[in-house]
């Protein structure tokens, strides 16, 4: 009888021990589950942070390239402005040469006629004005008119040489300018790209 009672008491203590053990295991398992969930959350945050850092690095590289492209476009825009100024000057020089040469030709022909008259004239009077003219003065006047005619001839030939290649110069400049006509639009787009990347990086850094 006593042995049965002791056995039942021992069994009761064992059950009580098992119950406490199960309760403790439950607490441990709950804590393990909580810690596992917290770990997963931290790992997720780390992955997100890593992704964010990688995205910032990627955008920084893109921004560097975009800024480089923008600088190159601005160089091209400055080149276009320079070419337009050259074209304007070339066209003006072309128009001046075209207008000047007919006048120079007329004036050279008039000079030649005056020189011929002075050279062929006989007597002491000037064939141009009718006033008395010494031989020395006649020769000096012929020399002066000849020098003036030489300068006009040089100017005429310079204009003609310029006109011979002016069309080619103008066409070449026009082609270069036409090739750069889309630069301004590209600059606008590139400015927008740089601004968008800068804003995105600022937002990433605030996270």
């Amino acid at each position: 009888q006593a042995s049965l009672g002791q056995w039942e008491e021992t069994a009761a203590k064992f059950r009580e021990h098992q119950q406490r053990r199960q309760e403790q295991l439950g607490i441990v398992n709950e804590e393990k589950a909580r810690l596992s969930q917290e770990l997963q959350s931290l790992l997720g945050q780390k992955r997100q942070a890593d992704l964010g850092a990688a995205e910032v690095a990627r955008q920084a590289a893109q921004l560097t390239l975009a800024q480089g492209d923008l600088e190159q476009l601005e160089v091209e825009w400055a080149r276009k402005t320079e070419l337009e100024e050259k074209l304007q000057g070339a066209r003006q020089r072309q128009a001046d040469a075209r207008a000047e040469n007919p006048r120079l030709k007329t004036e050279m022909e008039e000079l030649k006629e005056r020189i011929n008259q002075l050279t062929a004239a006989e007597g002491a009077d000037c064939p141009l004005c009718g006033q008395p003219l010494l031989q020395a003065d006649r020769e000096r006047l012929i020399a002066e008119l000849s020098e003036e005619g030489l300068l006009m001839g040089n100017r005429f030939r310079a204009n003609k040489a310029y006109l011979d290649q002016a069309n080619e110069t103008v066409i070449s400049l026009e082609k270069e300018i036409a090739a750069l006509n889309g630069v301004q639009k590209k600059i606008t787009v590139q400015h927008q790209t740089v601004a968008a990347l800068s804003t995105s990086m600022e937002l990433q850094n605030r996270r």
Side-chain angles (χ1 to χ4, degrees):
Q1 189 78 22
S3 296
L4 180 59
Q6 290 175 352
W7 183 84
E8 289 178 348
E9 182 180 352
T10 300
K13 287 180 179 180
F14 177 77
R15 286 194 297 273
E16 183 180 353
H17 173 74
Q18 284 292 95
Q19 184 176 357
R20 285 198 303 270
R21 183 172 177 275
Q22 290 299 322
E23 290 173 354
Q24 290 173 350
L25 285 173
I27 293 171
V28 170
N29 288 334
E30 287 178 3
E31 186 64 15
K32 283 174 65 178
R34 185 187 68 79
L35 290 173
S36 177
Q37 185 175 3
E38 186 174 343
L39 176 61
Q40 292 302 316
S41 176
L42 290 171
L43 289 174
Q45 291 176 16
K46 182 179 182 300
R47 282 193 296 270
Q48 192 65 30
D50 291 342
L51 288 174
E55 179 63 16
V56 168
R58 184 184 69 81
Q59 290 181 351
Q62 286 185 326
L63 181 59
T64 299
L65 290 175
Q67 288 172 332
D69 290 343
L70 181 57
E71 289 175 3
Q72 180 59 39
L73 287 170
E74 288 172 345
V75 169
E76 291 180 10
W77 179 252
R79 171 65 176 161
K80 181 174 183 288
T81 302
E82 179 186 348
L83 289 172
E84 287 172 338
E85 291 175 356
K86 285 185 177 181
L87 177 61
Q88 183 178 357
R91 285 173 172 167
Q92 184 62 51
R93 175 76 177 86
Q94 188 179 38
D96 291 344
R98 282 175 176 165
E100 187 178 29
N101 264 17
R103 177 179 59 80
L104 287 171
K105 185 176 181 181
T106 299
E107 291 178 358
M108 284 189 297
E109 289 173 351
E110 291 174 353
L111 276 176
K112 184 178 180 180
E113 180 62 26
R114 292 170 67 186
I115 291 170
N116 289 339
Q117 289 177 6
L118 285 169
T119 302
E122 297 179 356
D125 294 335
C126 176
L128 303 179
C129 63
Q131 298 297 318
L133 185 66
L134 297 175
Q135 182 62 30
D137 292 332
R138 184 193 307 271
E139 291 175 357
R140 178 182 54 77
L141 184 55
I142 290 172
E144 289 175 356
L145 293 175
S146 298
E147 178 66 22
E148 186 178 350
L150 180 61
L151 292 176
M152 286 184 179
N154 290 340
R155 179 70 177 176
F156 181 90
R157 285 185 289 276
N159 284 341
K160 187 175 184 304
Y162 178 80
L163 288 171
D164 287 342
Q165 55 85 38
N167 285 337
E168 185 176 336
T169 299
V170 168
I171 291 172
S172 176
L173 288 169
E174 287 174 343
K175 286 181 178 179
E176 286 189 76
I177 291 169
L180 296 171
N181 277 341
V183 170
Q184 187 173 16
K185 183 177 180 181
K186 290 179 181 178
I187 287 176
T188 300
V189 172
Q190 205 64 20
H191 270 300
Q192 293 171 346
T193 300
V194 169
L197 286 169
S198 297
T199 301
S200 179
M201 285 181 64
E202 287 178 7
L203 292 175
Q204 286 285 348
N205 288 328
R206 290 175 187 173
R207 293 177 182 176

